[in-house]
Amino acid sequence: MSETRIIDVGEGAAIPSKTDWGLFNAWTISIVFAISTIFYLIVFEPAPYKRIILYLSDGVIITFEVTIISIICACIIGLITGLGRVSKNKAINLLASTYVEIIRGIPLLVQLFYIYYALGRLLNVHDLTAAVIAMSVCYGAYMGEVFRAGITAIDKGQSEAARSLGFNTKQTMFLVILPQAWRTILPPVGNEFIALLKDTSLVSILAVSDLLRRGREFSSETFLYFETFTMVALVYLVITLLLSKGVSLMEARLSHYVRH
Amino acid sequence: MSATSAPSTLPIVDIRHVSKSFGALKALNNVSMSMSLGEKVVIIGPSGSGKSTLLRSINKLETVDSGTIIVDGLDINAPATDINKLRMELGMVFQSFNLFPHKTVLENLTLAPMKLKGMSRAEADEMGLKLLDKVGIMEKAHVYPSKLSGGQQQRVAIARALAMSPKIMLFDEPTRALDPEMIGEVLDVMVTLAREGMTMAVVTHEMGFAREVADRVVFMDHGGIIEEGTPEHFFKSPEHDRTKLFLSQIL
Ligand SMILES: Nc1ncnc2c1ncn2[C@@H]1O[C@H](COP(=O)(O)OP(=O)(O)OP(=O)(O)O)[C@@H](O)[C@H]1O
Ligand SMILES: [Mg+2]
C-alpha cells in the first residue's frame, strides 16, 4: 500500500546508492580520497597549498552562505509554487505555471546577469543578496516541479479520507499529503540541493567572492593555476559529498514508517 | 433485524432528483432516495451502475450536477453550508482503506478529533483505544498500518471514522479488496455497529450481510434506482427483470 515511489527528476543519483558494501562504496571512497589528498598537500607541500587553502577559506564561507540561504529560499518558493501548481484556483495555478515556464526557459547564467545587473543596479541591491535572489528564484521553479510531482504522487484516496473526516483543503495538505510527500520529494530535492551548490560557482562571474572566484583571483596573481584549481575542485567535492550525506541521512529518518 | 432498530420517520438523508455526469456518461440519472435516522440501507447493483457515485455525493466527494441532497437538515450544496463541518457527521469507509501510512494506528484515530474537535491527546487516546478495542485490534495501537492485514486495516478505518462520532456511516464496498478469510471480521464489526443503531448506507455484494442487517435494499443499474424494498421482498420476490437477472448472477 505504501511502497516508496521514486520521482526521477533530471540528473542521476547524487545520493549514494543503498547497496551496502561496507566501506567500499562510492561515497566513502570519494570522501576519503578528497580529504586525504587535501591533508597530504597541505602537510607535505605547504608552500603553495597551505597558502591556497587559507586564501580560499573566505570563499568557502561565501559559497556556504549562498548555498544555504538559497536552498532555504528555494524550498519555500518551491513549496509555494508546487502548491500553486496543484491548486484548484485557476488564477493561482496559472501564475505558478507561468513562473515555472519562464524560469525554466532562461539559462541560469542569464538570470544571474539579469537580476544582478538589471535589477541589482536598478534597486541598488547588495551583491550577495542579488546572487541569492537569482539562485532562489531559479531553483524555486525547479523545486516547485519536484514538489508538485511529490504531491500528485500521493494516492487520491488519502485526500478523500482526510476530506471525509472533515479536514479542509489546507489541513489535508499539511497534515496528510505533505508529510507523506516528503519521502518521495526528498531524493529529487536532495539532487536539486547539490545541483544548486555546484551552480553557486556561477556567481563567481559577478562580484561575489565565492570559492571559485577566490580561486580565480589567487591563480591570476600567482599563476599557480594547476595547484589552485586542484584545491578548488577538492573543496567543492568535499562540500558536495557532505551535503549529499546529510540528505541521505534525512531521507533515512523520514522513511521510518515504512520500515517499522 | 429491522424490527430491533425501528427506523424513525425523520429523514436524515434526503436525495432528490440527483443527476451527475462524467463527460458524456450519466453516472446518476435523476436519483431520489431518503434515509431515516437509524435506518440501514444496502445498495447493490452491477459494476458502473453509479453506487459509489451516489454514496460519494452524500458527503460531497462528488458534486452533483442537479438535484438536491439534504443531510441532517442542511442542503450540502448550498453556499452557506459548511461542508467540512457536515462531513464530521458522515463517516466514510472506502474499499481501499486509505489509512494514513505516516501515522500509527492510534494516531489515525486521534488525528481528526484532536485537530477538528479540539480534543486533548489524553482524551483522544482514551477514546481511540476504546474504539480499537471495539473493533478488536487494541494490541496494534502503536504500529503503522503497513504492518496490518487488510482486514485489520479496514477495521481500523471503521474505527477512524467512528472516532468523529458521526451520525451516519457510509461504506463503499468495504470488503471488496479483502481476502475471503478476512471478510467476516469486517462484516462482524459492521453488524455490531448496525445493532447499536447506527444509520448506515452500505454498498456491498455481501448478500448475507444485506439479509441480516438491511432495513431496505436498493438496486441500482445504469445510474438509476430500479427497485427497492425490504430484504424479504427483495430476495424472495423481486419485481424487475433486471433485478432478477442481477440476483441470479450474484447469488
Ligand atoms: N471520476 C470519474 N471520472 C469519470 N468517470 C467516472 C468517474 N467516477 C465514476 N465514473 C464512471 O461513472 C460510472 C458510475 O461509476 P460508479 O463508480 O459510481 O459505479 P459503481 O456502481 O460504484 O461501480 P463498481 O461496482 O465498479 O464500483 C462508471 O461508468 C464509471 O466509469
Ligand atoms: Mg464503486
Side-chain angles (χ1 to χ4, degrees), chain B residues 168-184:
Chain B
I168 306 159
M169 286 285 288
L170 310 170
F171 294 84
D172 192 0
E173 304 207 44
T175 57
R176 178 148 158 190
L178 297 178
D179 293 336
E181 72 271 18
M182 295 173 182
I183 291 176

Side-chain angles (χ1 to χ4, degrees), chain B residues 51-53 95 172-173 176 203:
Chain B
K51 307 180 296 294
S52 298
T53 309
Q95 183 182 312
D172 192 0
E173 304 207 44
R176 178 148 158 190
V203 176

Side-chain angles (χ1 to χ4, degrees), chain A residues 44-84:
Chain A
F44 292 101
E45 313 235 9
Y49 288 109
K50 200 167 172 195
R51 267 176 67 212
I52 294 171
I53 200 89
L54 287 175
Y55 193 88
L56 292 182
S57 58
D58 290 354
V60 174
I61 292 168
I62 297 286
T63 291
F64 254 123
E65 263 176 38
V66 174
T67 304
I68 299 294
I69 302 174
S70 301
I71 280 179
I72 293 169
C73 296
C75 275
I76 295 168
I77 297 174
L79 178 59
I80 295 170
T81 309
L83 290 174

